[in-house]
Amino acid sequence: ELFSARVVDRAGFEPATFRMPSATFNELLKEYARFLEIDLLRADKTIRNHRSCLKNFQRFLNKNIASATKDDLRRFLQEIKPKFSSSTYANHVKAFRVFYRDFLSVGWSVDFRMPQPEFKPKWIPSKQELKQFYEALPSLKAKCMFLFYAATGLRNCEVAKLRLSDIDFSSRMVIPKVHSGLTKKSWITFYNDEAEKVLAEYLEAYKPTDRLFLNTNTRFEHPFRTARRITGLNITPQVLREWFACEMTRLGVADRYIDGFCGRVPRSVLARHYTDYSPEKLKEIYDKAGLKVLS
């Protein structure tokens, strides 16, 4: 038995077709991972998520997923909908779209709609709450990471995986190099004098040689869990990233520069093509804002 898989060319050329001998689920999953990595340039985290979704479906289906029908998908989605969050449900639909439409090129379409997230106003902590949470953190390392999240606007994984070589200590400039896919990007950002002072203490105490924050859980649960329990404040790396964006807006920084610090793609033609994003200009804007986290 053979199955046909179509490689989608993102540049718009005619798709190429290749055929593989009948494969086990693990072999199929391995080939699909290569397709995501090489053909679609997906990040490692995205590949892991897709694999996990397909494994869930394989356990439900009890047959090779290459032979699944649209009704099989419908029954599976019906079963998981009340069990999973809307985002997890949507991740499964995304994985199925790429696997069946782009990789296997089946004759039926994967056109299940994804749930729209309900709008919920964000809670942004006050500086007093930030200070209260900071003082409850259990270690110098946790305090240093907290200030890096709040002062740079970086994502959780970007701070957790920072290397010493990603930081220009003389200018307090940070250039994360953790994203391998097309979805997430990182540009240039900076940290303030509060973070600089605690960072110096951290470097002296821990003496890292490569990764800035050694043996860090990228989900950053362990030190924040303690502070959340003590303070009752649900502050996470994502909340600190949102606080950074709101505070920089309050300090008068233009949205396109905040997007640059946070690694988001510019939204307008002006921001994309007519804005100076040089390190010198970004540092000037960052320093002029005078961002303070704890005072």
Side-chain angles (χ1 to χ4, degrees), residues 30-59:
K30 182 178 179 180
E31 189 63 28
Y32 178 57
R34 291 182 65 246
F35 170 75
L36 291 174
E37 177 187 4
I38 305 302
D39 296 73
L40 301 188
L41 297 180
R42 295 295 193 262
D44 291 343
K45 182 179 179 181
T46 301
I47 295 173
R48 289 196 299 271
N49 286 342
H50 277 239
R51 286 169 58 94
S52 177
C53 292
L54 293 179
K55 287 179 180 178
N56 289 340
F57 185 43
Q58 174 67 45
R59 284 192 291 269

Side-chain angles (χ1 to χ4, degrees), residues 13-249:
F13 297 103
E14 285 295 321
T17 301
F18 68 90
R19 296 172 69 82
M20 289 177 56
S22 181
T24 66
F25 173 70
N26 288 335
E27 291 169 339
L28 182 60
L29 208 59
K30 182 178 179 180
E31 189 63 28
Y32 178 57
R34 291 182 65 246
F35 170 75
L36 291 174
E37 177 187 4
I38 305 302
D39 296 73
L40 301 188
L41 297 180
R42 295 295 193 262
D44 291 343
K45 182 179 179 181
T46 301
I47 295 173
R48 289 196 299 271
N49 286 342
H50 277 239
R51 286 169 58 94
S52 177
C53 292
L54 293 179
K55 287 179 180 178
N56 289 340
F57 185 43
Q58 174 67 45
R59 284 192 291 269
F60 167 84
L61 196 60
N62 199 28
K63 66 179 179 180
N64 195 306
I65 59 176
S67 60
T69 65
K70 188 172 184 177
D71 189 59
D72 290 328
L73 286 178
R74 185 178 290 112
R75 290 188 297 105
F76 174 72
L77 291 173
Q78 183 179 23
E79 178 172 299
I80 69 170
K81 189 175 181 179
K83 300 178 182 178
F84 292 165
S85 67
S86 59
S87 60
T88 302
Y89 179 91
N91 285 339
H92 281 77
V93 174
K94 293 174 187 176
F96 295 154
R97 284 180 178 177
V98 178
F99 182 74
Y100 287 103
R101 179 194 63 198
D102 301 338
F103 181 64
L104 292 185
S105 188
V106 296
W108 41 269
S109 60
V110 184
D111 51 7
F112 300 102
R113 292 190 176 184
M114 289 184 287
Q116 296 300 314
E118 180 184 354
F119 173 75
K120 295 180 180 178
K122 294 185 181 297
W123 167 71
I124 303 298
S126 66
K127 285 193 176 181
Q128 182 59 38
E129 289 170 324
L130 291 179
K131 187 174 181 180
Q132 180 185 355
F133 192 87
Y134 174 82
E135 291 173 349
L137 288 168
S139 68
L140 177 60
K141 175 183 175 182
K143 287 179 164 62
C144 190
M145 292 188 74
F146 174 94
L147 287 175
F148 255 75
Y149 283 117
T152 63
L154 291 176
R155 300 176 179 90
N156 183 15
C157 65
E158 291 168 346
V159 170
K161 295 181 180 180
L162 275 177
R163 298 185 182 276
L164 295 175
S165 57
D166 296 336
I167 302 173
D168 183 338
F169 294 94
S170 62
S171 62
R172 301 201 302 253
M173 182 169 65
V174 184
I175 309 177
K177 303 181 183 69
V178 300
H179 301 299
S180 58
L182 295 176
T183 307
K184 296 284 193 303
K185 297 294 181 185
S186 56
W187 292 11
I188 295 172
T189 189
F190 300 84
Y191 54 94
N192 65 1
D193 53 354
E194 295 170 314
E196 182 180 39
K197 179 180 178 181
V198 176
L199 175 62
E201 297 174 7
Y202 168 78
L203 293 174
E204 177 64 26
Y206 286 80
K207 296 181 171 56
T209 58
D210 181 24
R211 287 274 289 272
L212 178 60
F213 298 112
L214 299 173
N215 302 320
T216 298
N217 181 342
T218 55
R219 296 186 66 185
F220 203 51
E221 283 294 328
H222 49 294
F224 271 35
R225 185 185 297 121
T226 299
R228 284 198 293 265
R229 185 177 67 250
I230 293 173
T231 64
L233 298 170
N234 188 27
I235 293 179
T236 65
Q238 179 61 28
V239 168
L240 294 178
R241 177 172 162 86
E242 293 163 358
W243 178 87
F244 171 87
C246 291
E247 184 66 9
M248 292 296 265
T249 299

